[in-house]
Amino acid sequence: MTPHPPIQLASGRRIGPGQPCFLIAEVGNNHQGSMDIARQMVHEAARAGADAVKFQKRDNAALFTQAGLCAPYTGANSFGPTYGEHREALELTLPQLAELKAEAEALGMVFFASAWDMPSLEGLIGMDVELFKVASADLTTIPMLRRLSAVGRPVILSTGMSDLADIDAAVRALTAGTAPVALLHCNSSYPCAPEDTGVPVMAQLRSRYGLPVGYSGHESGLAPTLAAVALGACIVERHFTLDKTMRGTDHKASLDPAEFAQLSAMVRDTQAALRTTTKRVFPAEQQCAAKLRKSIVAARPLRAGQRITEADIAAKCPGTGLSPIHWDAVLGQSLLRDIPADAQLCWEDMETAQHAVGR
C-alpha cells in the first residue's frame, strides 16, 4: 500500500516517516485529580524533552453503567469507596484541561487527550485541540471513530487488545472522512514483559494500512521502545509520572522525569544513528585512518633500478602514505630513486606502477 504523507498539525509539527520521532508524555490520570500535580507534570514533561503531553477525559455518567459506578472499590489504589467516586476523584474538568493546554503550548508542546466517551469528545472538540487520541479500549467504539473522522483533525489510534479484523474496521471508520490517521502498536498489559511487546508488528501495520505507525510502550524499561524507534516508529508514547511510588495502578509502568529525559535523549540518538544508509568514510574517520592504518615503507635501504620484492617492503604506521592495499601492484616494480629504510614509498618512486593502478 502506498504510504500516506506525514501528518501536519495546526502548530506546524509534522508526524510521519522522515520526521523527528513525535515523543508523547502520557499523563493519563497520574495527576491524581490534582491540578497542582498536573501543572507540575506539564512542566516536567517539557523539561524532559517531550513533544507532546497527553491527558484523558471521562464523563463517568456517560461512560459507566449505574451498577458500575456504584460497585465497591476499596483496594489499596482506591480514591473513593465506590468505583464512580474513585473515578470522579481522578477527573479534571474541561476548563482545567484548557488551562493545562495553554501552559503546554506556551512551553512549545502539543496538548491533546483521549476522550473515553462522546460527551468528553465533544468537550475536547470545543476546546480546539489540534490532535486526538483514541485509546485501545475505544478502537471498537465505531460511533466515536465516525465522529472523529467527520471532525477532520489528526487522530492517533492505539491498537492494543485488537486483532487485524478489529483494526480493519477501525481504520475504515476513521479514514472514511478527512481526518489524517496514525496508528500505535501496543500491548495493553501493565506492565508489559519485553518478550510480549512485539515491536516488529509495526512493519505489518505499516504495510497493511499505509499509515504512519508508532509505538505505545507499557514496559518497565526503555529497550523495547528504543527497538521500536530503530524499526521506524514515528511516534513514541510512554506513560509519565512524577513519582513511580505514588498511589495508583499506572505509576509503576510509567517513566519519571529523569527516565523520560533519558529516553528522549536516546530516541534522538537512535534516530540520528539511522540517518546514514550507505557505507562511506566519515570525516572523523579520516583522521583515525591517518594515525592507525599503515603505509608501504622500505624494509631496508633500497637502490634505484632494483625491482621490489617481498623482503624489500613492510607495512607500518602512520597511514599517510601509499596504502598496503596496493601491495601486489608494488611488487616487481623498478625503483626510480634510492629509498632509505623506513621511508614511505609513493607511486612516483616506481617506473610503471603509477600507470598500473589509480592512486
Side-chain angles (χ1 to χ4, degrees):
M1 183 175 291
T2 303
H4 286 230
I7 294 171
Q8 179 79 50
L9 300 185
S11 59
R13 291 179 184 266
R14 291 165 62 85
I15 303 173
Q19 305 300 313
C21 186
F22 189 65
L23 192 54
I24 302 167
E26 158 68 299
V27 173
N29 296 124
N30 284 348
H31 50 69
Q32 312 288 61
S34 164
M35 189 62 175
D36 289 340
I37 293 176
R39 189 178 292 110
Q40 185 181 354
M41 293 184 78
V42 168
H43 285 262
E44 290 293 341
R47 276 191 284 269
D51 295 305
V53 61
K54 189 184 86 66
F55 285 76
Q56 298 178 11
K57 186 70 186 94
R58 293 170 176 85
D59 182 315
N60 292 311
L63 180 58
F64 299 105
T65 65
Q66 193 63 33
L69 291 173
C70 294
Y73 196 74
T74 57
N77 293 313
S78 173
F79 284 78
T82 67
Y83 193 66
E85 291 172 284
H86 163 77
R87 289 254 49 108
E88 282 299 320
L90 295 174
E91 202 60 39
L92 296 176
T93 65
L94 285 169
Q96 286 175 319
L97 291 178
E99 183 180 336
L100 294 169
K101 176 177 180 289
E103 292 205 31
E105 290 173 350
L107 293 167
M109 291 188 297
V110 173
F111 174 96
F112 67 118
S114 297
W116 285 69
D117 51 79
M118 292 300 287
S120 295
L121 176 57
E122 295 301 332
L124 292 174
I125 292 170
M127 197 187 297
D128 202 27
V129 294
E130 60 180 314
L131 177 64
F132 295 98
K133 169 74 185 298
V134 178
S136 295
D138 276 313
L139 181 139
T140 56
T141 309
I142 295 298
M144 182 180 292
L145 304 186
R146 287 176 176 158
R147 176 69 176 118
L148 284 167
S149 178
V151 172
R153 296 179 213 165
V155 178
I156 296 175
L157 172 67
S158 274
T159 60
M161 305 182 290
S162 305
D163 58 23
L164 289 174
D166 291 335
I167 302 170
D168 287 347
V171 169
R172 279 196 302 270
L174 277 175
T175 57
T178 58
V181 178
L183 303 177
L184 292 186
H185 166 65
C186 73
N187 181 320
S188 295
S189 307
Y190 291 81
C192 181
E195 61 269 22
D196 292 337
T197 55
V199 291
V201 172
M202 292 189 306
Q204 183 183 27
L205 298 179
R206 196 179 296 119
S207 174
R208 188 177 183 91
Y209 303 108
L211 300 172
V213 174
Y215 175 71
S216 178
H218 300 136
E219 68 271 13
S220 297
L222 303 181
T225 299
L226 296 173
V229 175
L231 290 175
C234 57
I235 304 167
V236 160
E237 177 187 76
R238 290 297 303 265
H239 283 251
F240 185 64
T241 183
L242 295 180
D243 184 349
K244 294 160 79 82
T245 66
M246 290 173 73
R247 183 159 54 104
T249 55
D250 281 3
H251 294 284
K252 289 182 175 59
S254 301
L255 302 180
D256 65 25
E259 290 170 326
F260 200 97
Q262 181 184 18
L263 174 66
S264 175
M266 295 176 80
V267 165
R268 305 310 176 200
D269 287 347
T270 299
Q271 282 207 297
L274 297 172
R275 287 182 194 140
T276 300
T277 57
T278 56
K279 181 61 179 171
R280 64 184 177 90
V281 179
F282 291 86
E285 289 184 296
Q286 294 174 356
Q287 296 179 356
C288 291
K291 178 181 179 181
L292 301 177
R293 282 200 166 158
K294 299 175 178 65
S295 302
I296 298 177
V297 302
R300 55 192 177 187
L302 305 178
R303 300 300 178 193
Q306 75 177 83
R307 293 199 175 274
I308 300 172
T309 68
E310 291 270 4
D312 294 327
I313 55 176
K316 293 186 178 183
C317 297
T320 53
L322 183 60
S323 170
I325 202 168
H326 300 299
W327 188 270
D328 290 343
V330 170
L331 292 175
Q333 300 306 315
S334 178
L335 284 172
L336 297 177
R337 65 180 182 88
D338 293 347
I339 306 292
D342 265 355
Q344 293 180 350
L345 273 68
C346 61
W347 292 122
E348 288 77 10
D349 298 328
M350 292 165 271
E351 189 173 74
T352 60
Q354 66 262 42
H355 306 298
V357 297
R359 298 188 182 186

